Amino acid sequence: MTHPAHPGRMLFVNLPVVDLELSKAFFSKLGFGFNPHFTDDSAACMPVGEHAFVMLLTRERFADFAKLPIADPRTHTLGLFCFSVSSRDEVDAVSSAALAAGGTEVDEAEDYGFMYSRSFYDLDGHGWQVMWMDPAAVEQGPEAYAAANQDADTPA
C-alpha cells in the first residue's frame, strides 16, 4: 500500500493471558497504560499507538471469541509482536524493564545501523520485539537509506 487504506482505522490484537493482573503489572513496568473504559476483570485494553491496541484477555474470555483451541505460546508461536520507541537507548530501557519484570530475553540485540532491536518473551510466552528505526530510513526506505549512507561514506 502506498497510502492508508482506511484513515482512522483502529487495530486490536487480542492475546490470551493466564493471569490478567500479573500481565497488566508486567506491561505497566514497560511504560504501557490501560484504557479504563475497555478494561475489566477479564480484559485490559493496552494502547500501543494512536490507533493500535493490544487486548489482554483471560484465557476464558479469549475462548469466547476463538473458534479453535487456544495454543500455548510457550510451545507454539502464535504471532510475533513488535512496537517502536523513539531511541536506541529506549530500546535498551524497555527491554531491561521487561527482563526485570519477569520477561525472558529471546536473543542478542540486533543492530543494522538504521534499525536497532531487542526481543523478549512476556510472562505468558508471547514474543515481543522493541525497536528503533532512524526516521530517515522510515522516510526513504531501508535500501535507499543504506545506498545514500554508503555513498556518503565512499571517498570521492
Side-chain angles (χ1 to χ4, degrees):
M1 286 189 303
T2 57
H3 55 80
H6 298 280
R9 176 179 276 174
M10 295 186 293
L11 172 68
F12 290 86
V13 174
N14 298 287
L15 292 179
V17 299
V18 173
D19 186 317
L20 183 60
E21 291 306 313
L22 277 177
S23 292
K24 286 171 52 181
F26 175 84
F27 286 104
S28 292
K29 291 175 183 172
L30 276 60
F32 290 101
F34 299 91
N35 181 329
H37 298 295
F38 300 100
T39 299
D40 59 24
D41 60 346
S42 67
C45 179
M46 183 173 75
V48 296
E50 187 175 356
H51 298 291
F53 309 87
V54 171
M55 294 296 299
L56 303 174
L57 304 169
T58 62
R59 291 179 68 79
E60 296 79 16
R61 185 69 179 130
F62 187 89
D64 290 340
F65 300 109
K67 304 304 178 215
L68 298 172
I70 300 171
D72 183 348
R74 295 182 191 276
T75 61
H76 294 80
T77 301
L78 304 171
L80 299 172
F81 310 100
C82 179
F83 61 94
S84 63
V85 294
S86 60
S87 70
R88 295 170 67 94
D89 288 342
E90 193 175 358
V91 168
D92 290 331
V94 170
S95 296
S96 294
L99 300 179
T104 306
E105 191 164 38
V106 174
D107 52 22
E108 298 292 320
E110 295 180 274
D111 190 347
Y112 297 100
F114 71 93
M115 184 175 78
Y116 177 70
S117 67
R118 290 180 60 187
S119 300
F120 59 88
Y121 294 117
D122 69 17
L123 301 178
D124 289 281
H126 300 290
W128 291 86
Q129 181 181 56
V130 57
M131 58 86 70
W132 166 85
M133 187 180 296
D134 187 306
V138 173
E139 183 69 28
Q140 299 171 11
E143 290 179 10
Y145 176 83
N149 285 321
Q150 182 179 21
D151 292 342
D153 294 336
T154 305

